[in-house]
Amino acid sequence: MTAPAAPARWLRAVPDTATMTGRALRLARRDPDELLVSLLLPTMIMLMFVFVFGGAIETGTDYITYATPGVILLCAGYGASNTAIALVQDTGTGSMDRFRSMPVPGAAVLAGHVVASVLKNLLTTAIVLAVAAAIGFRPGAGPLEWLGALGVVTSYVLAITCVATFVGVVARTPASAGGLGFVMLFLPYVSSAFVPPGSMPGWLRGFAEAQPVTPVIESVRGLLVGLGSDGTPVVALGATAALALAWCAGIAGVSLVAATWVFARRGR
């Protein structure tokens, strides 16, 4: 009697990804420092922008209405940067070598980190919205607009998490991987997230309007509160949302393919 053949690797991709996702979530839950920062950071950033900076910035509407979508993306960037650090730590502790010695697809190892990061960042997004609602954020969106905003935010989180995954497989130390966090936190500042691009110098305004974070911000703000970056009713929302999704899809696809390729080569 012969033993049944083991299923092909690709057939195990989904359950293996679920297993790796559960592992990543359990590791995050057992790290009280990261958990505490993940819960406090959205609250502190929201309160700082609204009560410290909000009174000095003219946006054409209440500052909390203007800035809430930007705070969501800012916190998502911080959360995604932790994915890069987690991957480097897995390499340093020998966990990656262990996974490579097992019949686990390399893509499932990376996908587990990506899915866990997206779930954690969506929880952070809920915290930001809860804090914003508690201090006066009153979006006028209907169910379809909320669903659209959730789709755009999820696409953005997925894209920057894929970038973090690539950084995590090429970085040598947690410190170098953590440098991604600075970039992720910096980009929303140079967009329409917290101030209208029209208030920036000409050379910086061009960058702010062309970089991928701006159409994401414009889409989320337009869907939730119906306003553009100058505080007036939003126009061409469909085209802006399409551009945002195209940016997210392109960034996610290129980053994930590159991360999978590098991960496979380092395992040879």
Side-chain angles (χ1 to χ4, degrees), residues 200-266:
M200 302 178 185
W203 60 272
L204 190 57
R205 176 181 179 179
F207 175 79
E209 292 177 340
Q211 65 133 317
V213 173
T214 293
V216 175
I217 288 285
E218 296 291 296
S219 300
V220 175
R221 183 184 291 126
L223 286 164
L224 292 183
V225 300
L227 298 177
S229 62
D230 56 357
T232 60
V234 66
V235 295
L237 180 57
T240 303
L243 178 60
L245 294 176
W247 266 115
C248 292
I251 293 171
V254 171
S255 301
L256 200 55
V257 169
T260 304
W261 183 77
V262 172
F263 184 80
R265 285 183 62 85
R266 289 196 168 180

Short mmCIF file of all heavy atoms in Angstrom, two decimals, residues 200-266:
data_model
loop_
_atom_site.label_atom_id
_atom_site.label_comp_id
_atom_site.label_asym_id
_atom_site.label_seq_id
_atom_site.Cartn_x
_atom_site.Cartn_y
_atom_site.Cartn_z
N MET A 200 1.29 75.67 -1.48
CA MET A 200 2.71 75.28 -1.50
C MET A 200 3.45 76.04 -2.59
O MET A 200 2.84 76.55 -3.54
CB MET A 200 2.82 73.76 -1.76
CG MET A 200 2.11 72.88 -0.76
SD MET A 200 2.25 71.12 -1.21
CE MET A 200 1.20 70.37 0.03
N PRO A 201 4.80 76.12 -2.49
CA PRO A 201 5.58 76.69 -3.60
C PRO A 201 5.34 75.91 -4.89
O PRO A 201 5.00 74.72 -4.86
CB PRO A 201 7.03 76.52 -3.12
CG PRO A 201 6.94 76.36 -1.64
CD PRO A 201 5.62 75.70 -1.36
N GLY A 202 5.53 76.58 -6.02
CA GLY A 202 5.20 75.97 -7.30
C GLY A 202 5.87 74.63 -7.55
O GLY A 202 5.23 73.68 -8.00
N TRP A 203 7.18 74.53 -7.26
CA TRP A 203 7.89 73.28 -7.53
C TRP A 203 7.39 72.14 -6.64
O TRP A 203 7.32 70.99 -7.05
CB TRP A 203 9.39 73.47 -7.31
CG TRP A 203 9.76 73.90 -5.91
CD1 TRP A 203 9.83 75.17 -5.43
CD2 TRP A 203 10.09 73.03 -4.82
NE1 TRP A 203 10.18 75.17 -4.10
CE2 TRP A 203 10.37 73.86 -3.69
CE3 TRP A 203 10.20 71.66 -4.66
CZ2 TRP A 203 10.72 73.36 -2.45
CZ3 TRP A 203 10.56 71.15 -3.42
CH2 TRP A 203 10.81 71.99 -2.34
N LEU A 204 7.01 72.48 -5.40
CA LEU A 204 6.52 71.45 -4.49
C LEU A 204 5.07 71.10 -4.80
O LEU A 204 4.64 69.96 -4.65
CB LEU A 204 6.65 71.93 -3.05
CG LEU A 204 6.41 70.90 -1.96
CD1 LEU A 204 7.35 69.71 -2.12
CD2 LEU A 204 6.57 71.53 -0.58
N ARG A 205 4.32 72.11 -5.28
CA ARG A 205 2.92 71.86 -5.62
C ARG A 205 2.81 70.83 -6.74
O ARG A 205 1.94 69.96 -6.72
CB ARG A 205 2.25 73.17 -6.04
CG ARG A 205 0.82 72.99 -6.50
CD ARG A 205 0.20 74.31 -6.93
NE ARG A 205 -1.16 74.13 -7.39
CZ ARG A 205 -1.94 75.10 -7.80
NH1 ARG A 205 -1.49 76.36 -7.80
NH2 ARG A 205 -3.17 74.85 -8.20
N GLY A 206 3.72 70.93 -7.73
CA GLY A 206 3.69 69.96 -8.82
C GLY A 206 3.89 68.54 -8.33
O GLY A 206 3.19 67.62 -8.76
N PHE A 207 4.84 68.36 -7.41
CA PHE A 207 5.07 67.03 -6.85
C PHE A 207 3.85 66.57 -6.04
O PHE A 207 3.42 65.42 -6.14
CB PHE A 207 6.31 67.04 -5.96
CG PHE A 207 6.54 65.74 -5.23
CD1 PHE A 207 7.12 64.66 -5.89
CD2 PHE A 207 6.17 65.59 -3.90
CE1 PHE A 207 7.33 63.45 -5.23
CE2 PHE A 207 6.37 64.39 -3.23
CZ PHE A 207 6.95 63.31 -3.91
N ALA A 208 3.30 67.48 -5.24
CA ALA A 208 2.17 67.12 -4.38
C ALA A 208 0.97 66.68 -5.21
O ALA A 208 0.26 65.74 -4.83
CB ALA A 208 1.79 68.30 -3.49
N GLU A 209 0.73 67.33 -6.34
CA GLU A 209 -0.43 66.99 -7.15
C GLU A 209 -0.22 65.74 -7.98
O GLU A 209 -1.19 65.08 -8.36
CB GLU A 209 -0.79 68.17 -8.05
CG GLU A 209 -1.30 69.39 -7.28
CD GLU A 209 -1.58 70.57 -8.18
OE1 GLU A 209 -1.04 70.61 -9.31
OE2 GLU A 209 -2.33 71.47 -7.76
N ALA A 210 1.07 65.40 -8.26
CA ALA A 210 1.34 64.26 -9.15
C ALA A 210 1.60 62.96 -8.41
O ALA A 210 1.47 61.88 -8.99
CB ALA A 210 2.55 64.59 -10.03
N GLN A 211 1.97 63.01 -7.16
CA GLN A 211 2.34 61.78 -6.45
C GLN A 211 1.08 60.95 -6.14
O GLN A 211 -0.03 61.48 -6.06
CB GLN A 211 3.10 62.13 -5.16
CG GLN A 211 2.29 62.90 -4.13
CD GLN A 211 2.48 62.29 -2.76
OE1 GLN A 211 2.48 61.09 -2.63
NE2 GLN A 211 2.64 63.15 -1.74
N PRO A 212 1.25 59.64 -5.95
CA PRO A 212 0.07 58.75 -5.85
C PRO A 212 -0.80 58.96 -4.63
O PRO A 212 -1.98 58.58 -4.65
CB PRO A 212 0.71 57.35 -5.84
CG PRO A 212 2.14 57.54 -5.50
CD PRO A 212 2.52 58.88 -6.01
N VAL A 213 -0.26 59.54 -3.54
CA VAL A 213 -1.09 59.71 -2.34
C VAL A 213 -2.22 60.70 -2.58
O VAL A 213 -3.33 60.54 -2.04
CB VAL A 213 -0.21 60.17 -1.15
CG1 VAL A 213 -1.08 60.52 0.06
CG2 VAL A 213 0.76 59.06 -0.76
N THR A 214 -1.97 61.72 -3.41
CA THR A 214 -2.98 62.77 -3.59
C THR A 214 -4.30 62.25 -4.18
O THR A 214 -5.37 62.56 -3.63
CB THR A 214 -2.40 63.91 -4.45
OG1 THR A 214 -1.36 64.55 -3.71
CG2 THR A 214 -3.47 64.94 -4.77
N PRO A 215 -4.30 61.48 -5.27
CA PRO A 215 -5.61 60.98 -5.75
C PRO A 215 -6.29 60.05 -4.75
O PRO A 215 -7.53 60.00 -4.72
CB PRO A 215 -5.26 60.25 -7.05
CG PRO A 215 -3.80 59.99 -7.00
CD PRO A 215 -3.21 61.11 -6.20
N VAL A 216 -5.51 59.34 -3.94
CA VAL A 216 -6.12 58.50 -2.90
C VAL A 216 -6.84 59.38 -1.87
O VAL A 216 -8.00 59.13 -1.51
CB VAL A 216 -5.06 57.62 -2.22
CG1 VAL A 216 -5.68 56.83 -1.06
CG2 VAL A 216 -4.43 56.66 -3.21
N ILE A 217 -6.14 60.42 -1.42
CA ILE A 217 -6.74 61.35 -0.46
C ILE A 217 -7.98 62.02 -1.06
O ILE A 217 -9.03 62.10 -0.43
CB ILE A 217 -5.71 62.43 -0.07
CG1 ILE A 217 -4.63 61.83 0.83
CG2 ILE A 217 -6.39 63.60 0.63
CD1 ILE A 217 -5.07 61.57 2.23
N GLU A 218 -7.83 62.50 -2.29
CA GLU A 218 -8.95 63.21 -2.93
C GLU A 218 -10.17 62.30 -3.07
O GLU A 218 -11.31 62.74 -2.91
CB GLU A 218 -8.51 63.72 -4.30
CG GLU A 218 -7.41 64.76 -4.25
CD GLU A 218 -7.89 66.08 -3.66
OE1 GLU A 218 -8.76 66.71 -4.26
OE2 GLU A 218 -7.41 66.44 -2.57
N SER A 219 -9.91 61.02 -3.39
CA SER A 219 -11.02 60.07 -3.55
C SER A 219 -11.73 59.82 -2.23
O SER A 219 -12.96 59.85 -2.16
CB SER A 219 -10.50 58.75 -4.13
OG SER A 219 -9.89 58.94 -5.38
N VAL A 220 -10.94 59.55 -1.19
CA VAL A 220 -11.55 59.26 0.13
C VAL A 220 -12.30 60.49 0.64
O VAL A 220 -13.43 60.40 1.13
CB VAL A 220 -10.47 58.82 1.13
CG1 VAL A 220 -11.07 58.62 2.52
CG2 VAL A 220 -9.82 57.52 0.66
N ARG A 221 -11.68 61.68 0.53
CA ARG A 221 -12.34 62.90 1.01
C ARG A 221 -13.61 63.18 0.21
O ARG A 221 -14.66 63.54 0.76
CB ARG A 221 -11.37 64.08 0.92
CG ARG A 221 -11.95 65.38 1.48
CD ARG A 221 -10.99 66.54 1.29
NE ARG A 221 -9.81 66.41 2.13
CZ ARG A 221 -8.56 66.45 1.66
NH1 ARG A 221 -8.34 66.62 0.36
NH2 ARG A 221 -7.53 66.35 2.48
N GLY A 222 -13.51 63.02 -1.12
CA GLY A 222 -14.68 63.26 -1.96
C GLY A 222 -15.82 62.31 -1.66
O GLY A 222 -16.99 62.70 -1.63
N LEU A 223 -15.50 61.04 -1.41
CA LEU A 223 -16.54 60.05 -1.13
C LEU A 223 -17.18 60.28 0.24
O LEU A 223 -18.40 60.14 0.39
CB LEU A 223 -15.94 58.64 -1.18
CG LEU A 223 -15.64 58.11 -2.60
CD1 LEU A 223 -14.70 56.90 -2.53
CD2 LEU A 223 -16.93 57.74 -3.32
N LEU A 224 -16.37 60.64 1.23
CA LEU A 224 -16.91 60.75 2.60
C LEU A 224 -17.58 62.10 2.85
O LEU A 224 -18.65 62.15 3.49
CB LEU A 224 -15.80 60.54 3.62
CG LEU A 224 -15.20 59.13 3.70
CD1 LEU A 224 -14.17 59.04 4.81
CD2 LEU A 224 -16.30 58.08 3.92
N VAL A 225 -16.98 63.19 2.38
CA VAL A 225 -17.54 64.52 2.72
C VAL A 225 -17.88 65.35 1.49
O VAL A 225 -18.40 66.46 1.63
CB VAL A 225 -16.56 65.30 3.62
CG1 VAL A 225 -16.31 64.54 4.92
CG2 VAL A 225 -15.23 65.55 2.91
N GLY A 226 -17.58 64.83 0.28
CA GLY A 226 -17.98 65.52 -0.94
C GLY A 226 -17.21 66.78 -1.24
O GLY A 226 -17.69 67.64 -1.99
N LEU A 227 -16.00 66.93 -0.67
CA LEU A 227 -15.21 68.14 -0.88
C LEU A 227 -13.88 67.80 -1.56
O LEU A 227 -13.31 66.73 -1.35
CB LEU A 227 -14.92 68.83 0.45
CG LEU A 227 -16.13 69.34 1.23
CD1 LEU A 227 -15.69 69.93 2.56
CD2 LEU A 227 -16.92 70.36 0.41
N GLY A 228 -13.40 68.76 -2.36
CA GLY A 228 -12.08 68.64 -2.96
C GLY A 228 -11.02 69.25 -2.06
O GLY A 228 -11.29 69.66 -0.93
N SER A 229 -9.79 69.33 -2.58
CA SER A 229 -8.68 69.82 -1.77
C SER A 229 -8.78 71.30 -1.44
O SER A 229 -8.11 71.78 -0.52
CB SER A 229 -7.34 69.56 -2.50
OG SER A 229 -7.31 70.26 -3.73
N ASP A 230 -9.61 72.07 -2.16
CA ASP A 230 -9.77 73.50 -1.87
C ASP A 230 -11.01 73.79 -1.05
O ASP A 230 -11.40 74.96 -0.89
CB ASP A 230 -9.80 74.30 -3.18
CG ASP A 230 -10.89 73.81 -4.12
OD1 ASP A 230 -11.58 72.82 -3.77
OD2 ASP A 230 -11.07 74.41 -5.19
N GLY A 231 -11.64 72.75 -0.53
CA GLY A 231 -12.81 72.94 0.32
C GLY A 231 -14.10 73.16 -0.44
O GLY A 231 -15.13 73.43 0.18
N THR A 232 -14.06 73.10 -1.77
CA THR A 232 -15.27 73.26 -2.59
C THR A 232 -15.79 71.87 -2.98
O THR A 232 -15.06 70.89 -2.90
CB THR A 232 -14.97 74.07 -3.85
OG1 THR A 232 -13.96 73.38 -4.63
CG2 THR A 232 -14.45 75.45 -3.49
N PRO A 233 -17.07 71.80 -3.44
CA PRO A 233 -17.61 70.49 -3.84
C PRO A 233 -16.73 69.80 -4.86
O PRO A 233 -16.24 70.42 -5.81
CB PRO A 233 -18.98 70.85 -4.41
CG PRO A 233 -19.38 72.08 -3.65
CD PRO A 233 -18.11 72.85 -3.46
N VAL A 234 -16.52 68.51 -4.66
CA VAL A 234 -15.59 67.74 -5.49
C VAL A 234 -16.13 67.58 -6.91
O VAL A 234 -17.34 67.50 -7.14
CB VAL A 234 -15.36 66.36 -4.85
CG1 VAL A 234 -16.64 65.53 -4.86
CG2 VAL A 234 -14.23 65.62 -5.55
N VAL A 235 -15.23 67.58 -7.88
CA VAL A 235 -15.58 67.36 -9.28
C VAL A 235 -14.71 66.21 -9.81
O VAL A 235 -13.63 65.93 -9.28
CB VAL A 235 -15.36 68.62 -10.14
CG1 VAL A 235 -16.29 69.73 -9.70
CG2 VAL A 235 -13.91 69.09 -10.06
N ALA A 236 -15.19 65.54 -10.88
CA ALA A 236 -14.45 64.45 -11.52
C ALA A 236 -14.01 63.39 -10.52
O ALA A 236 -12.88 62.90 -10.58
CB ALA A 236 -13.24 65.01 -12.29
N LEU A 237 -14.92 63.04 -9.60
CA LEU A 237 -14.56 62.06 -8.57
C LEU A 237 -14.27 60.69 -9.16
O LEU A 237 -13.36 59.99 -8.71
CB LEU A 237 -15.68 61.96 -7.53
CG LEU A 237 -15.46 60.98 -6.37
CD1 LEU A 237 -14.18 61.32 -5.61
CD2 LEU A 237 -16.66 61.00 -5.43
N GLY A 238 -15.04 60.31 -10.20
CA GLY A 238 -14.82 59.00 -10.81
C GLY A 238 -13.43 58.87 -11.41
O GLY A 238 -12.75 57.85 -11.23
N ALA A 239 -12.99 59.91 -12.14
CA ALA A 239 -11.66 59.86 -12.74
C ALA A 239 -10.57 59.85 -11.67
O ALA A 239 -9.56 59.15 -11.80
CB ALA A 239 -11.48 61.07 -13.67
N THR A 240 -10.79 60.62 -10.62
CA THR A 240 -9.79 60.65 -9.54
C THR A 240 -9.69 59.29 -8.86
O THR A 240 -8.59 58.80 -8.56
CB THR A 240 -10.17 61.72 -8.50
OG1 THR A 240 -10.29 62.99 -9.15
CG2 THR A 240 -9.13 61.81 -7.40
N ALA A 241 -10.84 58.66 -8.60
CA ALA A 241 -10.82 57.34 -7.96
C ALA A 241 -10.18 56.30 -8.87
O ALA A 241 -9.43 55.43 -8.40
CB ALA A 241 -12.25 56.92 -7.60
N ALA A 242 -10.44 56.39 -10.17
CA ALA A 242 -9.81 55.45 -11.11
C ALA A 242 -8.30 55.61 -11.11
O ALA A 242 -7.55 54.62 -11.16
CB ALA A 242 -10.38 55.66 -12.51
N LEU A 243 -7.84 56.87 -11.08
CA LEU A 243 -6.39 57.12 -11.02
C LEU A 243 -5.80 56.56 -9.72
O LEU A 243 -4.71 55.96 -9.73
CB LEU A 243 -6.13 58.62 -11.12
CG LEU A 243 -4.66 59.06 -11.04
CD1 LEU A 243 -3.84 58.44 -12.16
CD2 LEU A 243 -4.55 60.59 -11.07
N ALA A 244 -6.50 56.76 -8.61
CA ALA A 244 -6.01 56.25 -7.32
C ALA A 244 -5.89 54.73 -7.35
O ALA A 244 -4.87 54.17 -6.92
CB ALA A 244 -6.96 56.69 -6.20
N LEU A 245 -6.91 54.06 -7.87
CA LEU A 245 -6.87 52.60 -7.91
C LEU A 245 -5.79 52.10 -8.87
O LEU A 245 -5.16 51.06 -8.62
CB LEU A 245 -8.25 52.06 -8.32
CG LEU A 245 -9.38 52.31 -7.31
CD1 LEU A 245 -10.72 51.83 -7.87
CD2 LEU A 245 -9.09 51.61 -5.98
N ALA A 246 -5.59 52.83 -9.97
CA ALA A 246 -4.54 52.43 -10.92
C ALA A 246 -3.16 52.54 -10.27
O ALA A 246 -2.30 51.65 -10.43
CB ALA A 246 -4.61 53.30 -12.17
N TRP A 247 -2.93 53.62 -9.54
CA TRP A 247 -1.67 53.78 -8.81
C TRP A 247 -1.47 52.62 -7.83
O TRP A 247 -0.39 52.01 -7.76
CB TRP A 247 -1.66 55.10 -8.04
CG TRP A 247 -1.04 56.27 -8.75
CD1 TRP A 247 -1.67 57.40 -9.16
CD2 TRP A 247 0.34 56.43 -9.12
NE1 TRP A 247 -0.79 58.26 -9.77
CE2 TRP A 247 0.45 57.69 -9.75
CE3 TRP A 247 1.48 55.65 -8.99
CZ2 TRP A 247 1.67 58.17 -10.25
CZ3 TRP A 247 2.70 56.13 -9.48
CH2 TRP A 247 2.77 57.37 -10.10
N CYS A 248 -2.52 52.33 -7.05
CA CYS A 248 -2.41 51.28 -6.03
C CYS A 248 -2.14 49.92 -6.67
O CYS A 248 -1.30 49.15 -6.19
CB CYS A 248 -3.69 51.23 -5.20
SG CYS A 248 -3.95 52.69 -4.16
N ALA A 249 -2.86 49.61 -7.75
CA ALA A 249 -2.67 48.32 -8.42
C ALA A 249 -1.26 48.20 -8.98
O ALA A 249 -0.61 47.14 -8.87
CB ALA A 249 -3.72 48.16 -9.52
N GLY A 250 -0.77 49.27 -9.60
CA GLY A 250 0.57 49.24 -10.16
C GLY A 250 1.65 49.06 -9.10
O GLY A 250 2.57 48.24 -9.25
N ILE A 251 1.54 49.83 -8.03
CA ILE A 251 2.53 49.75 -6.95
C ILE A 251 2.50 48.37 -6.30
O ILE A 251 3.55 47.75 -6.05
CB ILE A 251 2.26 50.84 -5.91
CG1 ILE A 251 2.53 52.22 -6.52
CG2 ILE A 251 3.11 50.64 -4.66
CD1 ILE A 251 2.09 53.38 -5.63
N ALA A 252 1.29 47.85 -6.03
CA ALA A 252 1.17 46.54 -5.38
C ALA A 252 1.73 45.44 -6.28
O ALA A 252 2.48 44.56 -5.82
CB ALA A 252 -0.29 46.27 -5.04
N GLY A 253 1.38 45.47 -7.56
CA GLY A 253 1.83 44.41 -8.47
C GLY A 253 3.34 44.38 -8.62
O GLY A 253 3.96 43.32 -8.48
N VAL A 254 3.94 45.52 -8.89
CA VAL A 254 5.39 45.58 -9.08
C VAL A 254 6.13 45.19 -7.81
O VAL A 254 7.09 44.40 -7.83
CB VAL A 254 5.81 47.00 -9.54
CG1 VAL A 254 7.32 47.15 -9.53
CG2 VAL A 254 5.25 47.30 -10.92
N SER A 255 5.67 45.70 -6.67
CA SER A 255 6.36 45.43 -5.40
C SER A 255 6.26 43.96 -5.02
O SER A 255 7.25 43.37 -4.57
CB SER A 255 5.75 46.29 -4.28
OG SER A 255 5.86 47.66 -4.58
N LEU A 256 5.09 43.37 -5.20
CA LEU A 256 4.92 41.98 -4.78
C LEU A 256 5.71 41.03 -5.68
O LEU A 256 6.32 40.07 -5.19
CB LEU A 256 3.44 41.60 -4.80
CG LEU A 256 3.05 40.38 -3.96
CD1 LEU A 256 3.52 40.55 -2.51
CD2 LEU A 256 1.54 40.16 -4.00
N VAL A 257 5.72 41.30 -6.98
CA VAL A 257 6.51 40.46 -7.89
C VAL A 257 8.00 40.58 -7.56
O VAL A 257 8.72 39.57 -7.49
CB VAL A 257 6.24 40.88 -9.35
CG1 VAL A 257 7.25 40.20 -10.29
CG2 VAL A 257 4.83 40.49 -9.76
N ALA A 258 8.45 41.80 -7.30
CA ALA A 258 9.87 42.00 -6.96
C ALA A 258 10.21 41.31 -5.64
O ALA A 258 11.27 40.67 -5.52
CB ALA A 258 10.17 43.50 -6.88
N ALA A 259 9.32 41.42 -4.65
CA ALA A 259 9.59 40.79 -3.35
C ALA A 259 9.64 39.28 -3.49
O ALA A 259 10.53 38.62 -2.91
CB ALA A 259 8.50 41.20 -2.36
N THR A 260 8.73 38.70 -4.25
CA THR A 260 8.71 37.24 -4.43
C THR A 260 9.96 36.77 -5.15
O THR A 260 10.55 35.73 -4.80
CB THR A 260 7.45 36.83 -5.21
OG1 THR A 260 6.29 37.32 -4.53
CG2 THR A 260 7.35 35.32 -5.33
N TRP A 261 10.39 37.52 -6.14
CA TRP A 261 11.60 37.16 -6.90
C TRP A 261 12.84 37.19 -6.01
O TRP A 261 13.65 36.26 -6.01
CB TRP A 261 11.76 38.11 -8.08
CG TRP A 261 12.92 37.78 -8.97
CD1 TRP A 261 12.99 36.78 -9.89
CD2 TRP A 261 14.19 38.45 -9.01
NE1 TRP A 261 14.21 36.78 -10.51
CE2 TRP A 261 14.97 37.79 -9.98
CE3 TRP A 261 14.72 39.54 -8.31
CZ2 TRP A 261 16.28 38.20 -10.28
CZ3 TRP A 261 16.01 39.94 -8.60
CH2 TRP A 261 16.78 39.27 -9.58
N VAL A 262 13.00 38.27 -5.22
CA VAL A 262 14.16 38.38 -4.34
C VAL A 262 14.11 37.30 -3.26
O VAL A 262 15.14 36.67 -2.95
CB VAL A 262 14.20 39.78 -3.68
CG1 VAL A 262 15.29 39.85 -2.62
CG2 VAL A 262 14.41 40.86 -4.73
N PHE A 263 12.94 37.04 -2.71
CA PHE A 263 12.80 36.03 -1.66
C PHE A 263 13.19 34.65 -2.19
O PHE A 263 13.89 33.88 -1.51
CB PHE A 263 11.35 36.01 -1.17
CG PHE A 263 11.09 35.07 -0.02
CD1 PHE A 263 11.43 35.44 1.28
CD2 PHE A 263 10.52 33.83 -0.23
CE1 PHE A 263 11.19 34.58 2.35
CE2 PHE A 263 10.29 32.96 0.83
CZ PHE A 263 10.62 33.34 2.12
N ALA A 264 12.78 34.33 -3.42
CA ALA A 264 13.12 33.03 -4.00
C ALA A 264 14.61 32.91 -4.27
O ALA A 264 15.22 31.87 -4.03
CB ALA A 264 12.32 32.83 -5.29
N ARG A 265 15.24 33.98 -4.76
CA ARG A 265 16.67 33.93 -5.06
C ARG A 265 17.50 33.79 -3.79
O ARG A 265 18.52 33.09 -3.79
CB ARG A 265 17.09 35.21 -5.81
CG ARG A 265 16.66 35.23 -7.27
CD ARG A 265 17.17 36.50 -7.96
NE ARG A 265 18.63 36.56 -7.95
CZ ARG A 265 19.39 35.98 -8.86
NH1 ARG A 265 18.85 35.27 -9.84
NH2 ARG A 265 20.71 36.11 -8.80
N ARG A 266 17.09 34.42 -2.72
CA ARG A 266 17.86 34.33 -1.48
C ARG A 266 17.73 32.96 -0.82
O ARG A 266 18.51 32.62 0.05
CB ARG A 266 17.41 35.42 -0.50
CG ARG A 266 17.85 36.80 -0.94
CD ARG A 266 17.75 37.80 0.17
NE ARG A 266 18.42 39.03 -0.18
CZ ARG A 266 18.51 40.09 0.61
NH1 ARG A 266 17.95 40.06 1.80
NH2 ARG A 266 19.16 41.16 0.22
#
